[in-house]
Amino acid sequence: MSTQRIKKNFAIIAAGQLISLLGSAVQRFGMSLYLLDLTGSPELFAAVLAVSMLPYVLLAPRRPVK
């Protein structure tokens, strides 16, 4: 496979991943807003939003400590 084709395939995959991550973030926030609308509780809204972010924070790649 040529280098040009590999770069094109990588760009397509990277763009798809970016769109997927953006969609996931919008869905997380939208579900939290829906819960706020349903219950009227800002504390529950904040808690659900914080808990939905935990996997991203805990599983994010980290630099090794020197």
Side-chain angles (χ1 to χ4, degrees):
M1 217 188 305
S2 72
T3 305
Q4 188 68 13
R5 185 168 172 98
I6 291 172
K7 286 181 182 179
K8 181 180 177 185
N9 287 342
F10 179 78
I12 291 170
I13 290 171
Q17 184 67 25
L18 182 65
I19 291 168
S20 176
L21 287 172
L22 180 63
S24 294
V26 169
Q27 191 236 0
R28 256 192 339 269
F29 187 68
M31 291 296 282
S32 299
L33 279 178
Y34 176 70
L35 189 62
L36 176 63
D37 186 47
L38 206 60
T39 64
S41 170
E43 294 86 9
L44 188 58
F45 165 74
V48 168
L49 196 56
V51 168
S52 72
M53 288 298 296
L54 276 179
Y56 294 95
V57 172
L58 296 176
L59 299 175
R62 298 181 186 145
R63 279 196 263 173
V65 178
K66 293 183 180 180

CSV table of all heavy atoms in Angstrom, one decimal:
chain,number,residue,atom,x,y,z
A,1,MET,N,0.9,-1.2,0.0
A,1,MET,CA,0.0,0.0,0.0
A,1,MET,C,0.9,1.2,0.0
A,1,MET,O,1.9,1.3,0.7
A,1,MET,CB,-0.9,0.0,1.2
A,1,MET,CG,-2.3,0.5,0.9
A,1,MET,SD,-3.4,0.8,2.2
A,1,MET,CE,-3.6,-0.7,3.1
A,2,SER,N,0.5,2.2,-0.7
A,2,SER,CA,1.3,3.5,-0.8
A,2,SER,C,1.2,4.3,0.4
A,2,SER,O,0.2,4.2,1.2
A,2,SER,CB,0.9,4.3,-2.1
A,2,SER,OG,-0.4,4.9,-1.8
A,3,THR,N,2.2,5.1,0.7
A,3,THR,CA,2.2,6.0,1.8
A,3,THR,C,1.0,7.0,1.8
A,3,THR,O,0.4,7.3,2.8
A,3,THR,CB,3.5,6.8,1.9
A,3,THR,OG1,4.6,5.9,1.9
A,3,THR,CG2,3.6,7.6,3.1
A,4,GLN,N,0.7,7.5,0.6
A,4,GLN,CA,-0.4,8.4,0.4
A,4,GLN,C,-1.7,7.8,0.8
A,4,GLN,O,-2.6,8.4,1.5
A,4,GLN,CB,-0.5,8.9,-1.1
A,4,GLN,CG,-1.4,10.0,-1.3
A,4,GLN,CD,-1.0,11.3,-0.7
A,4,GLN,OE1,0.1,11.5,-0.2
A,4,GLN,NE2,-1.9,12.2,-0.6
A,5,ARG,N,-1.9,6.5,0.4
A,5,ARG,CA,-3.2,5.8,0.8
A,5,ARG,C,-3.3,5.6,2.3
A,5,ARG,O,-4.3,5.7,2.9
A,5,ARG,CB,-3.3,4.5,0.0
A,5,ARG,CG,-4.6,3.8,0.2
A,5,ARG,CD,-4.7,2.7,-0.7
A,5,ARG,NE,-5.9,1.9,-0.4
A,5,ARG,CZ,-7.1,2.0,-1.0
A,5,ARG,NH1,-7.2,2.9,-2.0
A,5,ARG,NH2,-8.1,1.2,-0.7
A,6,ILE,N,-2.2,5.3,2.9
A,6,ILE,CA,-2.1,5.1,4.4
A,6,ILE,C,-2.5,6.4,5.1
A,6,ILE,O,-3.3,6.4,6.0
A,6,ILE,CB,-0.8,4.5,4.8
A,6,ILE,CG1,-0.6,3.1,4.3
A,6,ILE,CG2,-0.6,4.6,6.3
A,6,ILE,CD1,0.8,2.6,4.5
A,7,LYS,N,-2.0,7.5,4.6
A,7,LYS,CA,-2.3,8.8,5.2
A,7,LYS,C,-3.7,9.1,5.1
A,7,LYS,O,-4.4,9.7,6.0
A,7,LYS,CB,-1.4,9.9,4.6
A,7,LYS,CG,0.0,9.9,5.0
A,7,LYS,CD,0.8,11.0,4.4
A,7,LYS,CE,2.3,10.9,4.8
A,7,LYS,NZ,3.0,12.0,4.1
A,8,LYS,N,-4.3,8.8,3.9
A,8,LYS,CA,-5.7,9.1,3.6
A,8,LYS,C,-6.6,8.2,4.6
A,8,LYS,O,-7.5,8.7,5.2
A,8,LYS,CB,-6.1,8.8,2.2
A,8,LYS,CG,-7.5,9.1,1.8
A,8,LYS,CD,-7.8,8.8,0.4
A,8,LYS,CE,-9.3,9.1,0.1
A,8,LYS,NZ,-9.6,8.7,-1.3
A,9,ASN,N,-6.3,7.0,4.7
A,9,ASN,CA,-7.0,6.1,5.6
A,9,ASN,C,-6.9,6.5,7.0
A,9,ASN,O,-7.9,6.5,7.7
A,9,ASN,CB,-6.5,4.6,5.4
A,9,ASN,CG,-6.9,4.0,4.1
A,9,ASN,OD1,-7.8,4.4,3.5
A,9,ASN,ND2,-6.2,2.9,3.8
A,10,PHE,N,-5.7,6.9,7.4
A,10,PHE,CA,-5.6,7.4,8.8
A,10,PHE,C,-6.4,8.7,9.0
A,10,PHE,O,-7.1,8.8,10.1
A,10,PHE,CB,-4.1,7.7,9.1
A,10,PHE,CG,-3.9,8.2,10.5
A,10,PHE,CD1,-3.9,7.4,11.6
A,10,PHE,CD2,-3.7,9.6,10.7
A,10,PHE,CE1,-3.7,7.8,12.9
A,10,PHE,CE2,-3.6,10.1,12.0
A,10,PHE,CZ,-3.6,9.2,13.1
A,11,ALA,N,-6.4,9.6,8.1
A,11,ALA,CA,-7.2,10.8,8.2
A,11,ALA,C,-8.7,10.5,8.3
A,11,ALA,O,-9.4,11.1,9.1
A,11,ALA,CB,-7.0,11.7,7.0
A,12,ILE,N,-9.2,9.5,7.6
A,12,ILE,CA,-10.6,9.1,7.6
A,12,ILE,C,-10.9,8.5,9.0
A,12,ILE,O,-11.9,8.9,9.6
A,12,ILE,CB,-10.9,8.1,6.5
A,12,ILE,CG1,-10.9,8.9,5.2
A,12,ILE,CG2,-12.3,7.5,6.7
A,12,ILE,CD1,-11.0,7.9,4.0
A,13,ILE,N,-10.0,7.7,9.5
A,13,ILE,CA,-10.3,7.1,10.8
A,13,ILE,C,-10.2,8.1,11.9
A,13,ILE,O,-11.0,8.1,12.8
A,13,ILE,CB,-9.3,5.9,11.1
A,13,ILE,CG1,-9.6,4.8,10.2
A,13,ILE,CG2,-9.3,5.5,12.5
A,13,ILE,CD1,-8.5,3.7,10.2
A,14,ALA,N,-9.2,9.0,11.9
A,14,ALA,CA,-9.1,10.1,12.9
A,14,ALA,C,-10.3,11.0,12.9
A,14,ALA,O,-10.8,11.4,13.9
A,14,ALA,CB,-7.8,10.9,12.6
A,15,ALA,N,-10.8,11.3,11.7
A,15,ALA,CA,-12.0,12.2,11.6
A,15,ALA,C,-13.2,11.5,12.2
A,15,ALA,O,-14.0,12.1,12.9
A,15,ALA,CB,-12.3,12.6,10.1
A,16,GLY,N,-13.4,10.2,11.9
A,16,GLY,CA,-14.5,9.4,12.4
A,16,GLY,C,-14.4,9.4,13.9
A,16,GLY,O,-15.5,9.5,14.6
A,17,GLN,N,-13.2,9.2,14.5
A,17,GLN,CA,-13.1,9.1,15.9
A,17,GLN,C,-13.4,10.4,16.6
A,17,GLN,O,-14.0,10.5,17.6
A,17,GLN,CB,-11.6,8.7,16.3
A,17,GLN,CG,-11.4,8.5,17.7
A,17,GLN,CD,-12.1,7.3,18.3
A,17,GLN,OE1,-12.4,6.4,17.6
A,17,GLN,NE2,-12.4,7.4,19.6
A,18,LEU,N,-13.0,11.5,15.9
A,18,LEU,CA,-13.3,12.9,16.5
A,18,LEU,C,-14.8,13.1,16.5
A,18,LEU,O,-15.3,13.6,17.5
A,18,LEU,CB,-12.6,13.9,15.6
A,18,LEU,CG,-12.8,15.4,16.0
A,18,LEU,CD1,-12.1,15.6,17.4
A,18,LEU,CD2,-12.2,16.3,15.0
A,19,ILE,N,-15.5,12.8,15.4
A,19,ILE,CA,-16.9,12.9,15.4
A,19,ILE,C,-17.6,12.1,16.4
A,19,ILE,O,-18.5,12.5,17.1
A,19,ILE,CB,-17.4,12.6,14.0
A,19,ILE,CG1,-17.0,13.6,13.0
A,19,ILE,CG2,-19.0,12.4,14.0
A,19,ILE,CD1,-17.2,13.3,11.5
A,20,SER,N,-17.1,10.8,16.6
A,20,SER,CA,-17.7,10.0,17.7
A,20,SER,C,-17.5,10.5,19.1
A,20,SER,O,-18.4,10.5,19.9
A,20,SER,CB,-17.0,8.6,17.6
A,20,SER,OG,-17.4,7.7,18.6
A,21,LEU,N,-16.3,11.0,19.4
A,21,LEU,CA,-16.0,11.6,20.7
A,21,LEU,C,-16.9,12.8,20.9
A,21,LEU,O,-17.4,13.1,22.0
A,21,LEU,CB,-14.6,12.0,20.8
A,21,LEU,CG,-13.6,10.8,21.0
A,21,LEU,CD1,-12.2,11.2,20.9
A,21,LEU,CD2,-13.9,10.1,22.3
A,22,LEU,N,-17.1,13.7,19.9
A,22,LEU,CA,-17.9,14.8,20.0
A,22,LEU,C,-19.3,14.4,20.3
A,22,LEU,O,-20.0,15.0,21.2
A,22,LEU,CB,-17.8,15.7,18.8
A,22,LEU,CG,-18.6,17.0,18.8
A,22,LEU,CD1,-18.2,17.9,19.9
A,22,LEU,CD2,-18.6,17.7,17.4
A,23,GLY,N,-19.8,13.4,19.6
A,23,GLY,CA,-21.2,13.0,19.8
A,23,GLY,C,-21.4,12.4,21.2
A,23,GLY,O,-22.4,12.6,21.8
A,24,SER,N,-20.4,11.7,21.7
A,24,SER,CA,-20.5,11.1,23.0
A,24,SER,C,-20.6,12.2,24.1
A,24,SER,O,-21.3,12.1,25.0
A,24,SER,CB,-19.3,10.2,23.3
A,24,SER,OG,-19.3,9.1,22.5
A,25,ALA,N,-19.8,13.3,23.9
A,25,ALA,CA,-19.8,14.4,24.8
A,25,ALA,C,-21.1,15.1,24.8
A,25,ALA,O,-21.7,15.4,25.9
A,25,ALA,CB,-18.6,15.3,24.5
A,26,VAL,N,-21.6,15.3,23.6
A,26,VAL,CA,-22.9,16.0,23.5
A,26,VAL,C,-24.0,15.1,24.1
A,26,VAL,O,-24.9,15.7,24.9
A,26,VAL,CB,-23.3,16.3,22.0
A,26,VAL,CG1,-24.7,16.8,21.9
A,26,VAL,CG2,-22.3,17.4,21.5
A,27,GLN,N,-24.0,13.8,23.9
A,27,GLN,CA,-25.0,12.9,24.5
A,27,GLN,C,-24.9,12.9,26.0
A,27,GLN,O,-25.9,13.0,26.7
A,27,GLN,CB,-24.8,11.5,24.0
A,27,GLN,CG,-26.0,10.6,24.3
A,27,GLN,CD,-25.6,9.4,25.0
A,27,GLN,OE1,-24.4,9.2,25.3
A,27,GLN,NE2,-26.5,8.6,25.4
A,28,ARG,N,-23.7,12.9,26.6
A,28,ARG,CA,-23.5,12.9,28.0
A,28,ARG,C,-24.1,14.2,28.6
A,28,ARG,O,-24.9,14.1,29.6
A,28,ARG,CB,-22.0,12.9,28.4
A,28,ARG,CG,-21.5,11.6,28.9
A,28,ARG,CD,-20.2,11.6,29.5
A,28,ARG,NE,-19.3,12.8,29.1
A,28,ARG,CZ,-18.5,12.8,28.1
A,28,ARG,NH1,-18.4,11.7,27.3
A,28,ARG,NH2,-17.7,13.8,27.8
A,29,PHE,N,-23.8,15.3,28.0
A,29,PHE,CA,-24.3,16.6,28.5
A,29,PHE,C,-25.8,16.7,28.3
A,29,PHE,O,-26.6,17.1,29.2
A,29,PHE,CB,-23.6,17.7,27.8
A,29,PHE,CG,-24.0,19.1,28.4
A,29,PHE,CD1,-23.5,19.4,29.6
A,29,PHE,CD2,-24.7,20.0,27.7
A,29,PHE,CE1,-23.8,20.7,30.2
A,29,PHE,CE2,-25.1,21.2,28.2
A,29,PHE,CZ,-24.6,21.6,29.5
A,30,GLY,N,-26.3,16.2,27.2
A,30,GLY,CA,-27.8,16.2,26.9
A,30,GLY,C,-28.6,15.4,27.9
A,30,GLY,O,-29.6,15.8,28.4
A,31,MET,N,-28.0,14.2,28.2
A,31,MET,CA,-28.7,13.3,29.2
A,31,MET,C,-28.7,14.0,30.6
A,31,MET,O,-29.7,13.9,31.3
A,31,MET,CB,-28.0,11.9,29.2
A,31,MET,CG,-28.2,11.1,28.0
A,31,MET,SD,-29.9,10.7,27.7
A,31,MET,CE,-30.1,9.4,28.8
A,32,SER,N,-27.7,14.6,30.9
A,32,SER,CA,-27.6,15.3,32.2
A,32,SER,C,-28.6,16.5,32.2
A,32,SER,O,-29.3,16.7,33.2
A,32,SER,CB,-26.2,15.8,32.5
A,32,SER,OG,-25.3,14.8,32.6
A,33,LEU,N,-28.7,17.2,31.1
A,33,LEU,CA,-29.7,18.3,31.1
A,33,LEU,C,-31.1,17.8,31.1
A,33,LEU,O,-32.0,18.4,31.7
A,33,LEU,CB,-29.5,19.1,29.8
A,33,LEU,CG,-28.4,20.2,29.8
A,33,LEU,CD1,-28.3,20.8,28.4
A,33,LEU,CD2,-28.6,21.2,30.9
A,34,TYR,N,-31.4,16.6,30.5
A,34,TYR,CA,-32.7,16.0,30.5
A,34,TYR,C,-33.0,15.6,32.0
A,34,TYR,O,-34.2,15.8,32.4
A,34,TYR,CB,-32.7,14.8,29.6
A,34,TYR,CG,-34.0,14.0,29.7
A,34,TYR,CD1,-35.2,14.5,29.2
A,34,TYR,CD2,-34.1,12.7,30.3
A,34,TYR,CE1,-36.4,13.8,29.2
A,34,TYR,CE2,-35.2,12.0,30.4
A,34,TYR,CZ,-36.4,12.6,29.8
A,34,TYR,OH,-37.6,11.9,29.9
A,35,LEU,N,-32.1,15.1,32.7
A,35,LEU,CA,-32.3,14.7,34.1
A,35,LEU,C,-32.6,16.0,34.9
A,35,LEU,O,-33.5,16.0,35.8
A,35,LEU,CB,-31.1,14.0,34.6
A,35,LEU,CG,-31.2,13.4,36.0
A,35,LEU,CD1,-32.3,12.3,36.0
A,35,LEU,CD2,-29.9,12.8,36.4
A,36,LEU,N,-31.9,17.1,34.6
A,36,LEU,CA,-32.1,18.3,35.3
A,36,LEU,C,-33.6,18.8,35.0
A,36,LEU,O,-34.3,19.3,36.0
A,36,LEU,CB,-31.1,19.4,34.9
A,36,LEU,CG,-31.3,20.8,35.4
A,36,LEU,CD1,-31.2,20.8,37.0
A,36,LEU,CD2,-30.4,21.8,34.8
A,37,ASP,N,-34.0,18.7,33.8
A,37,ASP,CA,-35.3,19.1,33.4
A,37,ASP,C,-36.4,18.3,34.1
A,37,ASP,O,-37.4,18.7,34.6
A,37,ASP,CB,-35.5,19.1,31.9
A,37,ASP,CG,-36.8,19.6,31.4
A,37,ASP,OD1,-37.2,20.7,31.9
A,37,ASP,OD2,-37.5,19.0,30.6
A,38,LEU,N,-36.1,17.0,34.2
A,38,LEU,CA,-37.0,16.0,34.7
A,38,LEU,C,-37.2,16.2,36.2
A,38,LEU,O,-38.3,16.1,36.8
A,38,LEU,CB,-36.5,14.6,34.4
A,38,LEU,CG,-37.5,13.5,34.3
A,38,LEU,CD1,-38.6,13.7,33.3
A,38,LEU,CD2,-36.8,12.2,34.1
A,39,THR,N,-36.0,16.4,36.9
A,39,THR,CA,-36.1,16.4,38.4
A,39,THR,C,-36.0,17.8,39.0
A,39,THR,O,-36.5,18.0,40.1
A,39,THR,CB,-34.9,15.6,39.0
A,39,THR,OG1,-33.7,16.2,38.6
A,39,THR,CG2,-34.9,14.2,38.5
A,40,GLY,N,-35.4,18.7,38.3
A,40,GLY,CA,-35.2,20.1,38.8
A,40,GLY,C,-34.1,20.2,39.8
A,40,GLY,O,-34.0,21.2,40.5
A,41,SER,N,-33.3,19.2,39.9
A,41,SER,CA,-32.3,19.2,41.0
A,41,SER,C,-30.9,19.5,40.4
A,41,SER,O,-30.4,18.6,39.7
A,41,SER,CB,-32.3,17.8,41.6
A,41,SER,OG,-31.1,17.7,42.5
A,42,PRO,N,-30.3,20.6,40.6
A,42,PRO,CA,-29.0,20.9,40.1
A,42,PRO,C,-27.9,20.1,40.7
A,42,PRO,O,-26.9,19.8,40.1
A,42,PRO,CB,-28.8,22.4,40.4
A,42,PRO,CG,-29.8,22.8,41.4
A,42,PRO,CD,-30.9,21.8,41.3
A,43,GLU,N,-28.2,19.6,42.0
A,43,GLU,CA,-27.2,18.7,42.6
A,43,GLU,C,-27.1,17.4,41.9
A,43,GLU,O,-26.0,16.8,41.6
A,43,GLU,CB,-27.5,18.5,44.1
A,43,GLU,CG,-27.4,19.7,45.0
A,43,GLU,CD,-28.7,20.5,45.0
A,43,GLU,OE1,-29.7,20.1,44.4
A,43,GLU,OE2,-28.7,21.7,45.5
A,44,LEU,N,-28.2,16.8,41.5
A,44,LEU,CA,-28.3,15.6,40.8
A,44,LEU,C,-27.7,15.7,39.4
A,44,LEU,O,-26.9,14.9,38.9
A,44,LEU,CB,-29.7,15.1,40.7
A,44,LEU,CG,-29.9,13.7,40.1
A,44,LEU,CD1,-29.1,12.6,40.9
A,44,LEU,CD2,-31.4,13.3,40.1
A,45,PHE,N,-28.0,16.9,38.8
A,45,PHE,CA,-27.4,17.2,37.4
A,45,PHE,C,-25.9,17.2,37.5
A,45,PHE,O,-25.2,16.5,36.7
A,45,PHE,CB,-27.9,18.6,37.0
A,45,PHE,CG,-27.1,19.2,35.8
A,45,PHE,CD1,-27.3,18.6,34.5
A,45,PHE,CD2,-26.3,20.2,36.0
A,45,PHE,CE1,-26.5,19.2,33.5
A,45,PHE,CE2,-25.5,20.8,35.0
A,45,PHE,CZ,-25.7,20.3,33.7
A,46,ALA,N,-25.3,17.9,38.5
A,46,ALA,CA,-23.9,18.0,38.7
A,46,ALA,C,-23.3,16.6,39.0
A,46,ALA,O,-22.2,16.2,38.5
A,46,ALA,CB,-23.5,19.0,39.8
A,47,ALA,N,-23.9,15.8,39.8
A,47,ALA,CA,-23.4,14.5,40.2
A,47,ALA,C,-23.4,13.6,39.0
A,47,ALA,O,-22.4,12.9,38.8
A,47,ALA,CB,-24.3,13.9,41.3
A,48,VAL,N,-24.4,13.5,38.2
A,48,VAL,CA,-24.5,12.7,37.1
A,48,VAL,C,-23.5,13.1,36.0
A,48,VAL,O,-22.8,12.2,35.5
A,48,VAL,CB,-25.9,12.6,36.5
A,48,VAL,CG1,-25.9,12.0,35.1
A,48,VAL,CG2,-26.9,11.9,37.4
A,49,LEU,N,-23.3,14.4,35.8
A,49,LEU,CA,-22.3,14.9,34.9
A,49,LEU,C,-20.9,14.5,35.3
A,49,LEU,O,-20.1,14.1,34.5
A,49,LEU,CB,-22.5,16.4,34.7
A,49,LEU,CG,-21.8,17.0,33.5
A,49,LEU,CD1,-22.2,16.3,32.2
A,49,LEU,CD2,-22.1,18.5,33.4
A,50,ALA,N,-20.6,14.7,36.6
A,50,ALA,CA,-19.3,14.4,37.2
A,50,ALA,C,-19.0,12.8,37.1
A,50,ALA,O,-17.9,12.4,36.7
A,50,ALA,CB,-19.2,14.8,38.6
A,51,VAL,N,-20.0,12.0,37.4
A,51,VAL,CA,-19.8,10.6,37.3
A,51,VAL,C,-19.6,10.1,35.9
A,51,VAL,O,-18.8,9.2,35.6
A,51,VAL,CB,-21.0,9.8,38.0
A,51,VAL,CG1,-21.0,8.4,37.7
A,51,VAL,CG2,-20.9,10.1,39.5
A,52,SER,N,-20.3,10.8,35.0
A,52,SER,CA,-20.2,10.3,33.6
A,52,SER,C,-18.8,10.7,33.0
A,52,SER,O,-18.4,10.1,32.0
A,52,SER,CB,-21.3,11.0,32.7
A,52,SER,OG,-21.1,12.4,32.6
A,53,MET,N,-18.1,11.7,33.6
A,53,MET,CA,-16.8,12.0,33.2
A,53,MET,C,-15.7,11.2,33.8
A,53,MET,O,-14.6,11.2,33.4
A,53,MET,CB,-16.5,13.5,33.5
A,53,MET,CG,-17.3,14.5,32.7
A,53,MET,SD,-16.8,14.4,31.0
A,53,MET,CE,-15.1,14.9,31.0
A,54,LEU,N,-16.0,10.5,34.9
A,54,LEU,CA,-15.0,9.7,35.6
A,54,LEU,C,-14.2,8.7,34.7
A,54,LEU,O,-13.0,8.7,34.8
A,54,LEU,CB,-15.6,9.0,36.8
A,54,LEU,CG,-15.7,9.8,38.1
A,54,LEU,CD1,-16.4,8.9,39.1
A,54,LEU,CD2,-14.4,10.3,38.5
A,55,PRO,N,-14.8,7.9,33.9
A,55,PRO,CA,-14.1,7.0,33.1
A,55,PRO,C,-13.0,7.7,32.2
A,55,PRO,O,-11.9,7.2,32.0
A,55,PRO,CB,-15.1,6.3,32.2
A,55,PRO,CG,-16.4,6.4,32.9
A,55,PRO,CD,-16.3,7.7,33.7
A,56,TYR,N,-13.4,8.9,31.7
A,56,TYR,CA,-12.5,9.6,30.8
A,56,TYR,C,-11.3,10.2,31.6
A,56,TYR,O,-10.1,10.2,31.1
A,56,TYR,CB,-13.2,10.8,30.1
A,56,TYR,CG,-14.2,10.3,29.1
A,56,TYR,CD1,-15.5,10.2,29.5
A,56,TYR,CD2,-13.8,10.0,27.8
A,56,TYR,CE1,-16.5,9.8,28.6
A,56,TYR,CE2,-14.8,9.6,26.9
A,56,TYR,CZ,-16.1,9.4,27.3
A,56,TYR,OH,-17.0,9.0,26.4
A,57,VAL,N,-11.5,10.6,32.8
A,57,VAL,CA,-10.5,11.1,33.7
A,57,VAL,C,-9.6,10.0,34.2
A,57,VAL,O,-8.3,10.1,34.2
A,57,VAL,CB,-11.1,11.9,34.9
A,57,VAL,CG1,-10.0,12.3,35.9
A,57,VAL,CG2,-11.8,13.1,34.3
A,58,LEU,N,-10.2,8.9,34.7
A,58,LEU,CA,-9.4,7.8,35.3
A,58,LEU,C,-8.6,7.0,34.2
A,58,LEU,O,-7.6,6.4,34.6
A,58,LEU,CB,-10.3,6.9,36.1
A,58,LEU,CG,-11.0,7.6,37.3
A,58,LEU,CD1,-11.9,6.6,38.0
A,58,LEU,CD2,-9.9,8.1,38.3
A,59,LEU,N,-9.2,6.8,33.0
A,59,LEU,CA,-8.6,6.0,32.0
A,59,LEU,C,-7.8,6.7,31.0
A,59,LEU,O,-7.3,6.1,30.0
A,59,LEU,CB,-9.6,5.1,31.4
A,59,LEU,CG,-10.4,4.2,32.3
A,59,LEU,CD1,-11.5,3.5,31.5
A,59,LEU,CD2,-9.5,3.2,33.0
A,60,ALA,N,-7.6,8.0,31.2
A,60,ALA,CA,-6.8,8.8,30.2
A,60,ALA,C,-5.4,8.4,30.3
A,60,ALA,O,-4.9,8.1,31.4
A,60,ALA,CB,-7.0,10.3,30.5
A,61,PRO,N,-4.7,8.4,29.1
A,61,PRO,CA,-3.3,8.1,29.2
A,61,PRO,C,-2.5,9.2,30.0
A,61,PRO,O,-2.9,10.4,30.0
A,61,PRO,CB,-2.8,8.2,27.7
A,61,PRO,CG,-4.1,8.3,26.9
A,61,PRO,CD,-5.2,8.7,27.8
A,62,ARG,N,-1.5,8.7,30.7
A,62,ARG,CA,-0.7,9.7,31.6
A,62,ARG,C,0.7,9.5,31.2
A,62,ARG,O,1.2,8.5,30.8
A,62,ARG,CB,-0.9,9.3,33.0
A,62,ARG,CG,-2.3,9.4,33.5
A,62,ARG,CD,-2.5,9.1,34.9
A,62,ARG,NE,-3.9,9.1,35.2
A,62,ARG,CZ,-4.5,8.3,36.1
A,62,ARG,NH1,-3.8,7.4,36.7
A,62,ARG,NH2,-5.8,8.4,36.3
A,63,ARG,N,1.4,10.6,31.5
A,63,ARG,CA,2.9,10.6,31.3
A,63,ARG,C,3.5,9.8,32.5
A,63,ARG,O,3.0,10.0,33.6
A,63,ARG,CB,3.5,12.0,31.3
A,63,ARG,CG,3.3,12.6,29.9
A,63,ARG,CD,4.2,13.8,29.8
A,63,ARG,NE,3.4,15.0,30.1
A,63,ARG,CZ,3.9,16.2,30.3
A,63,ARG,NH1,5.2,16.4,30.3
A,63,ARG,NH2,3.1,17.2,30.5
A,64,PRO,N,4.5,9.0,32.2
A,64,PRO,CA,5.2,8.4,33.4
A,64,PRO,C,5.9,9.4,34.3
A,64,PRO,O,6.4,10.4,33.8
A,64,PRO,CB,6.2,7.4,32.7
A,64,PRO,CG,6.2,7.8,31.3
A,64,PRO,CD,5.1,8.7,31.0
A,65,VAL,N,5.8,9.1,35.6
A,65,VAL,CA,6.4,10.0,36.6
A,65,VAL,C,7.9,9.6,36.6
A,65,VAL,O,8.3,8.5,36.6
A,65,VAL,CB,5.8,9.7,38.0
A,65,VAL,CG1,6.5,10.6,39.0
A,65,VAL,CG2,4.3,10.0,37.9
A,66,LYS,N,8.7,10.7,36.5
A,66,LYS,CA,10.2,10.5,36.5
A,66,LYS,C,10.8,10.5,37.9
A,66,LYS,O,10.3,11.0,38.8
A,66,LYS,CB,10.9,11.6,35.7
A,66,LYS,CG,10.5,11.5,34.3
A,66,LYS,CD,11.3,12.6,33.5
A,66,LYS,CE,10.9,12.5,32.0
A,66,LYS,NZ,11.6,13.4,31.2
